[in-house]
Amino acid sequence: MATATTGYTLKCVPNGHPNSEEETTTYCTECGSVLRVDYDQPSEDLQYPLKNILPDPLKTHPTALKRLGRLSETYGADLWTKLEFEHPTGCFKDRGSYIEVQKARELEADAICLASTGNMAASVAAYACYFNIPCFVFVPEKTTEAKLAQATIFDANIIRIKGSFSTCEQLCREFAKSGNYYLAGDFVFREEGQKSFTYELVDQGGSDMDYIFIPVGCGTNFSAIFKGYKEMREGGLIDRIPKLVAIQPDQSSPVVEGIFKKEKIVKEQVQTMASSVAVPDPVDFYKVLEGIDQSEGMAFTVSEDEILDALKELAVTEGDFVEPAGALPLAAFKKHNEQFSGKKCLFVATGTGFKDTQVVTKHSLNSPVLSADLKKVISYVNSGFIGMQKKSWGKSRDTFMANLKMDKEHEQLYNDYVSKINKKGKTLSNNEIEVLQSLIFDEDTDLKYPVEVLDYKLIMRKHGLVQATVKLSLEGREVVSESKGVGPIDAVLTAIRTETDNVFPLVVENHEIDILSPDTDSLVTVTLTLRNGEQQWVSKGASPDTLEAVIQAFTKGLAIAMKGSHV
Ligand SMILES: *Cc1c(COP(=O)(O)O)cnc(C)c1O
Ligand SMILES: [Zn+2]
């Protein structure tokens, strides 16, 4: 059972200075360190530091405690997972947001604000929305679309910032002072919410774990789980605490490195696909240190390849699709397998794979778009592409497309593309080579191009208008076409269409631009959806230059459309 109580004090962790929550809910006013809720009385109930507690309006059931039967067999240990991604927003953070939002209301804040790598933004937005309190979220520019979509649908005020999570955090901390705002985040009341993990686990019969593997970013969840154990032990509900294992990617490991040095480290640069744990300055470092010391736990790092590997293995063998951070436990376990032989281990599956589908797209070969033609489908199935697509996952893929059965014409076409790109002084990365090959894979080799773009020029006008001058070769004639548009892509396409619409009219219904890497000369793929009457075509172009990719996609699309319509 959960009970609300006002019988507690906020104390800072290293010095025990008492603090008033009307003054601060983040850092000690005396020494600046993190705070913790210290209850006057141990209890048999889960205690929450609130005057009143409302039932969680979004969560309908505890997250599943599931045995990983196949993995247990493979690795000779008793392996379990707690599916924390079963929370309403797909991540364990809901446990903390549920309590933080109620605390913000109790303190009569005008709004909540927080910095987040995405999941906390989604989670606090959901609870703030339900409890009718405005919410400001500061997120780094790289936040995944799914996480942003969640914050958007729950009416958060989204502030996207150039820079890392730590930049967002500093800025948000300043912003919080500009009004009567509750600064949410990895602070004292979140820990109180997230400790319910332990109560739930014990309630489900999971009290006899030897090890609990926890992905660590700020360290708040780790320390919350540990606090749950301590309070359950003080309340006489359990008598032992499992060994807690903190895991970080080796590309972003200030906590793990700090554990070995016994002092807090700040890392300027963190680069990992596990974006939810990419935290340069881990707020709760000292709490993690304490949790590891007192539980006789340990700390590991894992590589990016090991994360990818574990993510795939969880999905394929056990049916659990997690985001990269959620794969850290299995990755660490596998790396130190012998150490855990025969032990009962719990992996905390922190977030769902739907949060970050980009990682999957990026690390496996794209499926080519085939024409609706059974012969083509069968030849595709027999080409070996699909088998290689499966094998391509997370491996170094240097020689990987070499085995693909491309016919002469397609090989020629591919070489043409590559030489054009090389002429721009660019060498293609492996990933770019694969994308290009899968794009060309289904291209018609006997297409007749009615139009060729010989040259183009852009002039910027007022109010974001762009004027394009395009020199075309249209059915053998040279013509110059001029047009204005909102932005360069619109201007160029409109100029081309002014002429080509006389031959075959096409409406550009949609364009998608995919930049493959953060490099300035990254290959860009452009996908256009084109329409004429009831008929629709999709066409792609690829080049390091976005406009050229657009032009390529359009001229090819026109060729495909005219061929398909027997013009
Ligand atoms: C926030 C988060 C973590 C890290 O939790 P901390 O409390 O910051 O240590 C791990 N995985 C996922 C999916 C998260 O959203
Ligand atoms: Zn203090």
Side-chain angles (χ1 to χ4, degrees):
M1 230 196 79
T3 53
T5 173
T6 52
Y8 63 90
T9 319
L10 291 195
K11 288 185 184 161
C12 77
V13 172
N15 306 312
H17 300 134
N19 278 259
S20 135
E21 69 187 47
E22 280 72 26
E23 270 175 65
T24 179
T25 58
T26 53
Y27 299 99
C28 177
T29 48
E30 216 164 309
C31 70
S33 30
V34 292
L35 304 173
R36 178 172 271 160
V37 173
D38 188 15
Y39 292 97
D40 302 345
Q41 301 289 334
S43 168
E44 286 188 6
D45 296 325
L46 164 57
Q47 302 194 78
Y48 284 128
L50 291 166
K51 288 184 184 142
N52 289 298
I53 178 136
L54 297 164
D56 189 329
L58 306 182
K59 182 167 168 172
T60 50
H61 53 85
T63 64
L65 173 63
K66 172 179 150 177
R67 177 131 201 282
L68 299 168
R70 290 179 177 171
L71 291 176
S72 297
E73 182 113 336
T74 307
Y75 296 111
D78 190 11
L79 302 180
W80 294 73
T81 183
K82 193 150 165 65
L83 302 180
E84 289 291 278
F85 59 67
E86 289 183 347
H87 275 101
T89 73
C91 171
F92 70 86
K93 291 208 168 59
D94 294 352
R95 294 182 187 275
S97 308
Y98 163 51
I99 297 304
E100 275 204 302
V101 169
Q102 290 186 75
K103 178 53 80 179
R105 297 216 46 178
E106 189 180 293
L107 293 170
E108 296 176 346
D110 293 331
I112 291 189
C113 58
L114 75 149
S116 162
T117 59
N119 280 339
M120 201 189 296
S123 175
V124 173
Y127 283 84
C129 179
Y130 189 91
F131 284 113
N132 290 314
I133 178 163
C135 172
F136 291 87
V137 300
F138 288 67
V139 292
E141 57 191 322
K142 275 191 185 158
T143 308
T144 71
E145 252 181 66
K147 296 175 188 183
L148 278 178
Q150 289 182 291
T152 309
I153 201 75
F154 291 121
D155 279 344
N157 305 301
I158 299 170
I159 324 262
R160 283 175 87 178
I161 300 292
K162 256 196 185 2
S164 75
F165 167 71
S166 287
T167 315
C168 292
E169 214 218 320
Q170 278 156 24
L171 196 62
C172 182
R173 218 187 284 179
E174 292 300 309
F175 177 78
K177 291 182 204 149
S178 70
N180 175 29
Y181 299 146
Y182 177 92
L183 180 59
D186 286 296
F187 302 117
V188 62
F189 292 113
R190 169 157 299 273
E191 182 177 49
E192 290 308 297
Q194 288 175 192
K195 73 185 181 189
S196 66
F197 173 95
T198 312
Y199 287 78
E200 223 179 81
L201 174 65
V202 170
D203 201 45
Q204 288 167 315
S207 60
D208 57 346
M209 297 294 164
D210 295 312
Y211 294 91
I212 302 189
F213 287 67
I214 307 162
V216 166
C218 288
T220 310
N221 200 37
F222 185 101
S223 69
I225 291 171
F226 179 62
K227 191 169 195 274
Y229 274 109
K230 276 219 307 206
E231 286 179 5
M232 290 194 89
R233 189 170 62 183
E234 282 157 15
L237 296 161
I238 53 167
D239 41 40
R240 62 179 267 284
I241 297 180
K243 295 177 170 34
L244 302 187
V245 184
I247 310 138
Q248 293 199 296
D250 57 22
Q251 302 296 312
S252 170
S253 56
V255 173
V256 177
E257 285 175 43
I259 301 271
F260 291 107
K261 291 212 173 108
K262 302 262 177 217
E263 69 179 29
K264 187 170 155 172
I265 286 177
V266 176
K267 276 207 158 178
E268 286 305 326
Q269 286 292 325
V270 291
Q271 280 295 347
T272 170
M273 75 178 80
S275 55
S276 299
V277 294
V279 179
D281 183 359
V283 174
D284 278 332
F285 170 76
Y286 284 104
K287 292 185 184 173
V288 177
L289 185 62
E290 181 191 277
I292 288 185
D293 271 353
Q294 294 187 14
S295 77
E296 296 171 38
M298 47 192 82
F300 296 125
T301 64
V302 293
S303 72
E304 297 295 291
D305 272 351
E306 287 162 345
I307 297 171
L308 275 182
D309 205 47
L311 194 154
K312 182 81 177 181
E313 190 167 349
L314 274 172
V316 171
T317 58
E318 300 285 357
D320 296 330
F321 179 28
V322 293
E323 67 164 273
L328 293 177
L330 178 60
F333 170 86
K334 282 177 66 175
K335 195 169 182 175
H336 303 277
N337 182 6
E338 20 10 279
Q339 206 167 328
F340 303 105
S341 168
K343 298 293 186 198
K344 188 164 184 180
C345 301
L346 179 72
F347 301 158
V348 182
T350 48
T352 167
F354 300 132
K355 293 275 200 177
D356 188 359
T357 52
Q358 202 69 32
V359 158
V360 180
T361 325
K362 198 167 159 195
H363 294 277
S364 46
L365 211 49
N366 278 341
S367 304
V369 180
L370 306 178
S371 326
D373 174 343
L374 185 61
K375 267 204 224 116
K376 287 215 166 200
V377 171
I378 289 172
S379 112
Y380 169 66
V381 170
N382 292 333
S383 72
F385 189 96
I386 298 173
M388 255 176 282
Q389 187 178 40
K390 289 178 193 163
K391 273 190 244 152
S392 71
W393 178 260
K395 301 258 159 54
S396 136
R397 286 157 290 174
D398 294 5
T399 52
F400 164 80
M401 292 294 283
N403 303 323
L404 190 65
K405 291 174 207 142
M406 247 202 232
D407 56 39
K408 273 231 161 53
E409 285 82 14
H410 280 97
E411 221 171 278
Q412 181 58 45
L413 197 60
Y414 173 72
N415 292 336
D416 289 348
Y417 267 90
V418 173
S419 88
K420 257 191 240 161
I421 290 168
N422 288 348
K423 270 195 203 125
K424 291 189 184 297
K426 175 177 170 61
T427 27
L428 292 161
S429 70
N430 286 339
N431 179 37
E432 289 171 332
I433 289 174
E434 283 164 16
V435 169
L436 198 60
Q437 286 180 318
S438 76
L439 184 136
I440 287 157
F441 193 78
D442 185 50
E443 199 152 300
D444 251 319
T445 45
D446 54 356
L447 271 186
K448 289 197 180 51
Y449 283 68
V451 67
E452 192 186 343
V453 174
L454 303 170
D455 198 8
Y456 65 88
K457 212 168 62 198
L458 296 172
I459 302 167
M460 303 298 155
R461 298 279 184 208
K462 278 183 197 155
H463 311 301
L465 278 186
V466 177
Q467 181 173 334
T469 311
V470 181
K471 192 156 118 193
L472 308 164
S473 163
L474 184 60
E475 300 186 308
R477 287 177 298 128
E478 248 182 53
V479 280
V480 174
S481 170
E482 267 189 11
S483 184
K484 287 200 193 73
V486 258
I489 295 178
D490 185 43
V492 165
L493 282 178
T494 311
I496 301 174
R497 283 183 42 222
T498 306
E499 291 300 324
T500 59
D501 276 3
N502 299 325
V503 182
F504 190 87
L506 276 179
V507 178
V508 181
E509 285 210 323
N510 188 28
H511 71 261
E512 271 173 45
I513 295 174
D514 192 16
I515 301 165
L516 296 180
S517 81
D519 309 332
T520 47
D521 69 343
S522 164
L523 193 69
V524 176
T525 62
V526 169
T527 311
L528 295 180
T529 311
L530 306 168
R531 174 181 292 281
N532 172 299
E534 288 297 296
Q535 278 186 291
Q536 200 189 57
W537 299 271
V538 173
S539 168
K540 288 184 183 242
S543 165
D545 177 329
T546 308
L547 272 181
E548 278 188 26
V550 169
I551 291 169
Q552 221 183 69
F554 184 81
T555 51
K556 196 195 300 174
L558 181 65
I560 296 168
M562 286 178 70
K563 187 180 177 193
S565 306
H566 311 288
V567 177

